[in-house]
Amino acid sequence: MEEIVPTGEPWAPGDNEMMIGAVARSALEAARTVLAADFCAFAWLTTATGPPEVVASNGISDDRARSMAETWLAAIGVGDESAVRRLRLERMSPMRRIEPVRDAAGRPRGVLVATFTGSTGRPRDARVLMPVFAYHLGLLLERIESQARRTASYEALVQIGMQIQAQEADVEKVLHLIVERARELVGTDVAWMGLVDEEAGTLDMSVASGARTRRFMEMQLRLGEGVGGLVVASRRPVVVPDYRADSPPSPRLIRAAVLGEGIGSMLCAPMLTGDKVIGALYVGSRHAVDFSAAAAALTGALAAQGAVAVENGRLYADLQRKNRLLEQSSTAHRALTDAALAGAGLADIVAGLARLLNAAVTLTQDVVEPHRVCCRADGSLEPDGGDLEQPALSFPIVGEEELGRLTVLGVEHLTALQANTVEHGATVLALELVKQRAAQDVEWRLQGELLNELLDAPVPTPATLVSRARRHGIDLSRPHRVIAVTPASGDDAAPAGADLLSLVRRATGRTLVHRDAALVHLRGDHVLLATPDDPDGTTSAPVLHAISRAVEGTGGHVAIGVGELTGEFGVAHRQAVACAMLARGDGRASRILQAEQLGPLRFVLEAPDLVRLRSIVAGELAAISRYDGDGRTELFTTLRAFIAADGNVAATANACFVHKNTLRYRLQRAAQVIGRDPSDPDVKFELRIAFGLLDLFRSLGIDLLDPTESPAPAPNGAAVRSSGSTPR
C-alpha cells in the first residue's frame, strides 16, 4: 500500500487551493473533451491526515465527486485495505480509468479519474493519454504549492517584520511567532531558539514550538559544543539528517534531551546581527528528513528576523532603561538644585544627597564650617563622622581648584543612577562652595584691609576701626597676638605671596574655632595674622603648627615670628616680623620664634639679620670655643656655669663637679683665653648676653659660633620651639 506523502511543508487550504481548483478544472474539461469521457475528476491530499480536495468536470457534481474521492484514492493503494484490493481491479476497467498523480520525486499526491459509458467515449485513448494528463497535473500541483509555500514564507517574514517594527514590540511574542512559523513553513515537528549568554559563555533555550519534554526546554549549551554551539562558533547553518547516528560532539545531557524529544533530523541556522552571533534557530523532525536548500534559506531568513527582533528588543529595553534613568536623574537633579536655590546649607544638601543615594555620605572641605558633614542614608546627621572602616567611594568637588571631597560610605560601586546623582550633587556642592568662597574672599579682603589699618593705627585705636572690627566679629578690647609668616631663607619650594596667603587662610580656617576670630593680610613678603589669644598661647599654638604643616605639605619651609600678646597692633607687628626674619635660617626647616622667648634679649629684634648677632656672640665666645674645641680643656662649659651662677665659685664648683681650686685655675685660664676677667660685672653681663643668644638660636637649630654649619632640621620636619623660659 502506497502512502500519499505531502511535500513535508504543509500549507493551509485557502486561496492556493482555489487556484489549483480553477486551473485543474480547465485541464479536466480539456481532458474530458479529448477523451469523450462522461466526466473527469481530480482528487488530491493537502496533508497526510486531512480530507482530500476534489475538482470535477461537467458530468458529475462536486458533492458526488467529493463522496467518491476516498474510493478513488483507495484504488491507487491509499485507504482501507479491503477497499484497496477491491478497487484495484476497477482501476483499469474499460468503463473507468484511474491514474495516480505523482510529484517530481515520484510520491503519490492525488488521483485523476475518467469515466466512460457512452459509445462515443475513447477508453483506449485514455490508456495512453491519462498518464500524460496525470503527469501535467502533478507538475501543476507542485508548481502552485511551491508558489504557495513561497507566498506563505514571504507573508510570515512580512508579519514578523511588522511585529518587530511595532512601536512597543513584545520580543517574547515575536520570538514565539518566529519558531511557530519556522515549524509550519519548513514542515517539522519541533522548532526552537537558543540565545547566547555572553557572560556565561552559553547558548540557552529561549522559546520552542512543538516540544514535549521538560529536559528539552531546559537545555543549555556551552559555546562550541553540540549543534548550536558549532553554529554559533562557525556562523554557518548546519544540517543533521540523522541526529542519533551522525551529530557533532554534544554533552551527554544535551544529547539525551534531544533524543528524548524524539528528534531525528535537525537544521540549525545562526542568528546574526552584523558580525555578532546572538543565538541560533533550530527546526527538527521526529522522522528522517532531507532538508532542502529552500528550507535552509527560509530558516536562515527567519533566524535573521529573530536576530533583529532580539537586538531591537535589547535596544528598546536599553532605551527604556535610559529614559527611566534620565527621569530619575532629572528628579534627583531638581531636588538638589531646588535645595541649593532655596538657600539650604551644605548639611541640608548632603542630607538630601544621602536620601537620594540611600547611602551614608560625607562631605569634607576647607571653605566654611563645619568642615566635615556626615549624613546617614535617611538624611540624619552622623555626629561621629561615619564608619571609616567600611567600603567607600570618594569623589572630588572641583571648582577652579579642588574644593573638597564627597565620600559615599558602605558601597563598592555605584549604579548609573547613583553615579549621575553623585555627579550632580558634587556640582551643586561645588557651586555652593564657590559661592561661599566668593563671599569669603570679600570678607577676607575687608578683614585684610582692616588689619592693614590697625597695624598703622595710633594708640588708642580710633573708634571707627573698633566699629569696623566689631562688624567682622573682632573684639579689639581683647589682647591680640600678631603672627608673621614668610618663606624660609633660600627656599624656592615654599609658597610665597598670594599663594602663601591662601594657604595660611585655609590652615587657620581649619584650626581656629571661629574663622572670623582671625585677621589675615599680606604685607610685603610677610603674611600677617592677628588673633585673640591667651597668655599661655592656647589659641595661637595649634595655628602655628597648622601653618607649618601646611607649608611642609607643599615641600617647602617657613619662618614664623610671633609678637607679644598686646593691644598695640603696631608693636606686635614689628616684633613678629623681626622674629620671622631671625627664624629664616637656611631654608632646611620650618622655625617658630616668639618674642617672649627672647626675655631680656629683646634688643635682638632690632637686628636686621643674623650677621650682627653672630658678631656679638663670636666676639665674646669664639676664642674660648676654639680653644676648647682642641679637646685640651673644658673651659667653655666651666665659663658657662660660672656666668649662670652669677660668679658664685662654690655653686659653680658644685655644678661642674670639681674642687674650688680646680675651678679657680680654670677661670684663670679662661680669663687668659678671652683676654678679660669674667668676674668683672661688665664682662659678666656681656658674657651672659652672648651665652643667652647662643642658647636661644641653638634651640632654633642655628649655631651662631659657626656660620658655615647647616642647622639640623627638627624631627619629622616640625618647627622648633622653645618652652618659653628665659635662657640663662
Side-chain angles (χ1 to χ4, degrees):
M1 181 180 69
E2 290 187 277
E3 179 184 4
I4 295 183
V5 181
T7 58
E9 300 162 353
W11 52 287
D15 293 342
N16 297 306
E17 284 74 4
M18 294 177 63
M19 181 183 299
I20 293 173
V23 176
R25 194 178 299 278
S26 298
L28 291 175
E29 289 295 341
R32 176 172 175 263
T33 301
V34 170
L35 298 175
D38 294 336
F39 68 87
C40 290
F42 173 40
W44 77 97
L45 292 176
T46 58
T47 64
T49 58
E53 293 290 327
V54 178
V55 176
S57 68
N58 290 331
I60 188 173
S61 67
D62 287 343
D63 289 340
R64 174 65 177 162
R66 194 171 293 111
S67 67
M68 297 292 294
E70 291 186 1
T71 302
W72 295 335
L73 288 170
I76 63 170
V78 178
D80 181 70
E81 289 289 342
S82 60
V84 168
R85 286 194 297 272
R86 185 177 68 254
L87 292 173
R88 274 181 177 170
L89 299 175
E90 217 178 294
R91 173 178 170 183
M92 299 302 178
S93 68
M95 304 304 295
R96 178 181 292 123
R97 183 76 183 183
I98 299 176
E99 192 71 33
V101 177
R102 302 178 183 276
D103 61 16
R107 296 175 300 185
R109 292 300 312 280
V111 61
L112 174 63
V113 179
T115 300
F116 307 92
T117 58
S119 59
T120 58
R122 296 195 286 273
R124 292 188 178 183
D125 293 342
R127 177 177 295 180
V128 177
L129 295 177
M130 286 282 284
V132 176
F133 290 149
Y135 172 74
H136 285 284
L137 278 174
L139 291 179
L140 172 65
L141 180 63
E142 187 168 356
R143 182 174 301 173
I144 292 178
E145 286 187 345
S146 177
Q147 179 63 37
R149 287 191 294 273
R150 284 197 296 270
T151 301
S153 300
Y154 295 148
E155 289 177 350
L157 293 174
V158 170
Q159 181 186 14
I160 293 168
M162 292 175 65
Q163 291 282 348
I164 292 173
Q165 298 301 324
Q167 184 175 2
E168 296 183 0
D170 185 339
V171 177
E172 191 74 14
K173 183 177 179 181
V174 173
L175 297 184
H176 274 289
L177 177 63
I178 289 173
V179 296
E180 288 170 2
R181 290 292 181 269
R183 180 187 174 201
E184 293 173 3
L185 296 173
V186 181
T188 56
D189 300 298
V190 188
W192 67 100
M193 183 182 293
L195 298 181
V196 172
D197 184 338
E198 294 182 351
E199 293 185 2
T202 58
L203 182 67
D204 303 338
M205 170 71 81
S206 178
V207 293
S209 174
R212 299 171 179 171
T213 62
R214 181 175 178 179
R215 281 197 306 172
F216 185 80
M217 293 299 299
E218 295 176 349
M219 286 192 302
Q220 184 183 65
L221 273 172
R222 289 196 172 277
L223 299 183
E225 295 179 344
V227 177
L230 178 62
V231 167
V232 171
S234 66
R235 311 161 71 87
R236 302 172 68 88
V238 170
V239 176
V240 182
D242 188 345
Y243 185 85
R244 183 180 295 275
D246 184 20
S247 64
S250 301
R252 182 176 57 82
L253 293 178
I254 298 298
R255 183 174 176 83
V258 173
L259 293 176
E261 187 63 32
I263 293 175
S265 303
M266 185 187 301
L267 167 62
C268 182
M271 298 168 62
L272 297 168
T273 56
D275 294 333
K276 183 179 179 182
V277 183
I278 64 172
L281 175 64
Y282 303 75
V283 289
S285 181
R286 294 191 174 94
H287 58 271
V289 172
D290 186 10
F291 292 100
S292 64
L298 177 58
T299 305
L302 291 171
Q305 292 282 61
V308 172
V310 172
E311 191 67 13
N312 283 3
R314 290 174 179 174
L315 292 174
Y316 183 73
D318 187 57
L319 180 61
Q320 286 185 315
R321 181 186 61 79
K322 289 181 178 178
N323 285 338
R324 287 194 299 269
L325 175 62
L326 182 61
E327 292 174 0
Q328 293 169 340
S329 298
S330 179
T331 300
H333 291 185
R334 281 196 303 271
L336 294 173
T337 303
D338 290 347
L341 293 176
L346 293 174
D348 288 338
I349 296 175
V350 172
L353 182 60
R355 285 191 293 270
L356 290 169
L357 295 174
N358 193 30
V361 176
T362 298
L363 170 66
T364 306
Q365 46 80 30
D366 293 328
V367 179
V368 294
E369 295 180 352
H371 297 293
R372 181 180 175 86
V373 177
C374 183
C375 292
R376 302 183 183 96
D378 61 2
S380 60
L381 286 174
E382 175 64 71
D384 296 332
D387 182 7
L388 300 180
E389 299 299 324
Q390 61 182 318
L393 298 175
S394 183
F395 306 90
I397 300 174
V398 181
E400 293 183 354
E401 58 181 345
E402 185 170 314
L403 301 171
R405 304 288 299 185
L406 189 63
T407 304
V408 183
L409 303 174
V411 298
E412 296 182 352
H413 66 276
L414 298 178
T415 65
L417 176 59
Q418 287 177 321
N420 285 351
T421 303
V422 168
E423 181 180 356
H424 190 68
T427 301
V428 170
L429 289 170
L431 292 174
E432 185 68 17
L433 289 172
V434 167
K435 181 178 72 174
Q436 296 280 359
R437 174 158 288 183
Q440 193 177 80
D441 287 341
V442 173
E443 187 72 13
W444 274 340
R445 180 174 57 80
L446 295 175
Q447 291 178 354
E449 293 173 355
L450 173 62
L451 177 57
N452 191 45
E453 294 185 37
L454 287 173
L455 297 179
D456 299 327
V459 180
T461 306
T464 55
L465 291 180
V466 173
S467 177
R468 284 174 55 191
R470 190 178 297 113
R471 288 197 296 272
H472 290 287
I474 306 297
D475 183 6
L476 294 183
S477 64
R478 293 181 59 188
H480 281 65
R481 199 181 297 277
V482 176
I483 301 170
V485 184
T486 189
S489 179
D491 188 353
D492 296 331
D499 293 335
L500 182 58
L501 173 65
S502 176
L503 185 145
V504 170
R505 282 174 171 166
R506 289 199 301 271
T508 56
R510 291 304 300 269
T511 306
L512 294 172
V513 177
H514 301 292
R515 179 185 294 277
D516 290 342
L519 299 173
V520 184
H521 180 61
L522 176 64
R523 177 181 277 197
D525 295 333
H526 294 79
V527 173
L528 304 175
L529 171 70
T531 179
D533 200 5
D534 301 313
D536 60 356
T538 302
T539 302
S540 62
V543 174
L544 299 176
H545 290 290
I547 294 172
S548 179
R549 285 195 302 270
V551 174
E552 289 170 355
T554 68
H557 300 93
V558 287
I560 303 175
V562 185
E564 293 181 320
L565 188 63
T566 177
E568 298 183 24
F569 283 86
V571 173
H573 166 235
R574 289 189 292 274
Q575 292 176 347
V577 170
C579 287
M581 293 300 293
L582 292 174
R584 292 187 69 189
D586 66 350
R588 293 196 175 188
S590 294
R591 295 185 177 87
I592 302 171
L593 178 60
Q594 295 189 351
E596 283 95 339
Q597 290 178 259
L598 301 177
L601 302 178
R602 287 189 179 86
F603 73 90
V604 303
L605 298 179
E606 302 299 326
D609 52 36
L610 295 180
V611 175
R612 182 177 176 185
L613 298 180
R614 288 184 188 277
S615 66
I616 292 173
V617 174
E620 299 293 335
L621 302 176
I624 195 168
S625 176
R626 287 194 299 270
Y627 185 85
D628 230 20
D630 294 337
R632 291 175 292 182
T633 64
E634 296 183 0
L635 298 184
F636 189 88
T637 56
T638 302
L639 182 59
R640 180 199 289 273
F642 181 73
I643 298 301
D646 198 22
N648 187 307
V649 173
T652 305
N654 289 334
C656 295
F657 302 102
V658 296
H659 194 270
K660 293 180 182 180
N661 293 334
T662 303
L663 176 64
R664 291 189 180 96
Y665 172 76
R666 289 184 180 180
L667 291 175
Q668 290 175 359
R669 292 296 300 152
Q672 293 173 359
V673 172
I674 64 176
R676 306 169 71 186
D677 183 4
S679 301
D680 183 275
D682 292 336
V683 175
K684 190 162 47 177
F685 174 76
E686 292 172 357
L687 288 173
R688 180 176 291 111
I689 295 296
F691 276 118
L693 289 173
L694 182 64
D695 291 342
L696 171 65
F697 282 92
R698 277 184 174 174
S699 71
L700 298 175
I702 300 173
D703 190 351
L704 296 180
L705 285 176
D706 189 356
T708 63
E709 184 184 48
S710 298
N716 299 323
V720 177
R721 181 187 178 191
S722 71
S723 64
S725 60
T726 303
R728 299 189 301 164

